[in-house]
């Protein structure tokens, strides 16, 4: 079973600060790494799916990088806004062919 | 494009009862995955259905079962409910069992007393 770990568990930042958090995963049997944003009382929303070592993806102020050889991905948020407050989940492939194994998430609170 | 919907939104059952949760997948998607999120945990994979067949199962006992219908909507059935089954149940649809994006519904909150 693939263990996906996320750190930190929670984070409080001031509006305008930039921040980043980490997703780590065993590098063997890697296929894809997903990032999702989950706001309270809403559905998890896909941010990125990355498959290649060295991948970098960007969506507005949010970007992510992937290192499959060392088994980590970073998510960066530039100039955090209150609407960025959410839990950020990463997920990698599990033991089966098509299942996703999720980390516990990083809960981000942006203070106005 | 219609998003993923789930019903009911909330449910209270007692230990030993059975429950059925429903999920309508996004238009054009033929794959549905079910997840259980217990308090303080990330979503845990239960199983996936592709074109009406089970296509992978996580570490859940047989009392967790499912169905997928010809229109690709899906049900999750849980028999002999236990207190630890209290959780948020999420379904997600995707295209062709691929590694691409999964689109999640809002979840069903189940409380077992």
């Amino acid at each position: 079973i693939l263990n996906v770990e996320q750190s930190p568990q929670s984070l409080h930042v001031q509006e305008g600060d930039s921040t980043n958090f980490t997703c780590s995963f065993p590098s063997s049997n890697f296929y894809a790494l997903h990032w999702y944003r989950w706001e309270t009382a809403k559905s998890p929303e896909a941010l990125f799916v990355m498959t290649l070592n060295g991948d970098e993806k960007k969506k507005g102020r949010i970007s992510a990088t992937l290192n499959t050889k060392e088994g980590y991905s970073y998510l960066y948020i530039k100039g955090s806004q209150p609407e960025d407050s959410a839990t950020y989940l990463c997920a990698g492939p599990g033991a089966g062919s098509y299942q996703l194994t999720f980390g516990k998430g990083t809960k981000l609170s942006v203070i106005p | 494009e219609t998003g993923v919907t789930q019903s009911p939104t909330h449910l209270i059952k007692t230990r030993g009862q059975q429950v059925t949760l429903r999920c309508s997948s996004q238009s054009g998607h033929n794959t549905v995955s079910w997840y259980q999120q217990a308090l303080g945990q990330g979503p845990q994979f239960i199983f996936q259905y592709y074109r009406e067949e089970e296509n992978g199962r996580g570490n859940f006992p047989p009392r967790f079962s499912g169905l997928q219908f010809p229109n690709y909507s899906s049900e999750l059935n849980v028999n002999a409910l236990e207190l630890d089954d209290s959780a948020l149940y999420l379904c997600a649809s995707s295209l062709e069992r691929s590694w691409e994006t999964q689109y999640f519904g809002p979840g069903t909150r189940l409380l077992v007393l």
Side-chain angles (χ1 to χ4, degrees), chain B residues 39-104:
Chain B
L39 203 60
Q41 302 296 316
Q44 300 291 311
F45 176 76
I46 303 175
F47 42 57
Q48 183 183 86
Y49 278 82
Y50 169 70
R51 294 184 183 270
E52 304 178 58
E53 298 286 331
E54 188 179 288
N55 183 50
R57 188 179 183 90
N59 190 26
F60 281 82
R63 60 188 184 85
F64 285 77
S65 63
L67 280 174
Q68 189 179 29
F69 300 99
N71 66 355
Y72 303 132
S73 66
S74 178
E75 287 182 353
L76 165 65
N77 300 291
V78 188
N79 293 322
L81 283 167
E82 301 178 359
L83 298 180
D84 285 349
D85 296 333
S86 296
L88 179 70
Y89 289 85
L90 293 163
C91 78
S93 73
S94 56
L95 188 62
E96 295 292 341
R97 300 181 298 174
S98 70
W99 289 115
E100 294 301 317
T101 302
Q102 295 202 356
Y103 294 84
F104 283 86

Side-chain angles (χ1 to χ4, degrees), chain A residues 31 34 36 38 43 46 97-98 103, chain B residues 37 42 97 99 101-102 105-106:
Chain A
Y31 194 100
H34 295 222
Y36 292 86
W38 195 358
S43 307
S97 299
Y98 296 100
Chain B
Q37 193 200 24
R97 300 181 298 174
W99 289 115
T101 302
Q102 295 202 356

Side-chain angles (χ1 to χ4, degrees), chain A residues 4-32:
Chain A
V4 177
E5 304 285 344
Q6 291 188 248
S7 62
Q9 187 176 353
S10 65
L11 194 55
H12 291 77
V13 301
Q14 290 291 135
E15 182 176 354
D17 286 351
S18 294
T19 187
N20 65 84
F21 18 95
T22 305
C23 174
S24 62
F25 51 88
S27 53
S28 59
N29 299 321
F30 175 83
Y31 194 100

Side-chain angles (χ1 to χ4, degrees), chain A residues 36-73:
Chain A
Y36 292 86
R37 174 170 60 199
W38 195 358
E39 296 178 66
T40 303
K42 293 188 177 180
S43 307
E45 173 198 357
L47 290 173
F48 307 114
V49 177
M50 295 185 289
T51 57
L52 298 176
N53 185 44
D55 253 356
E56 292 188 26
K57 298 220 172 178
K58 188 174 181 183
K59 186 176 182 179
R61 294 179 292 98
I62 303 176
S63 60
T65 61
L66 178 66
N67 183 322
T68 61
K69 292 182 179 179
E70 296 182 37
Y72 64 83
S73 175

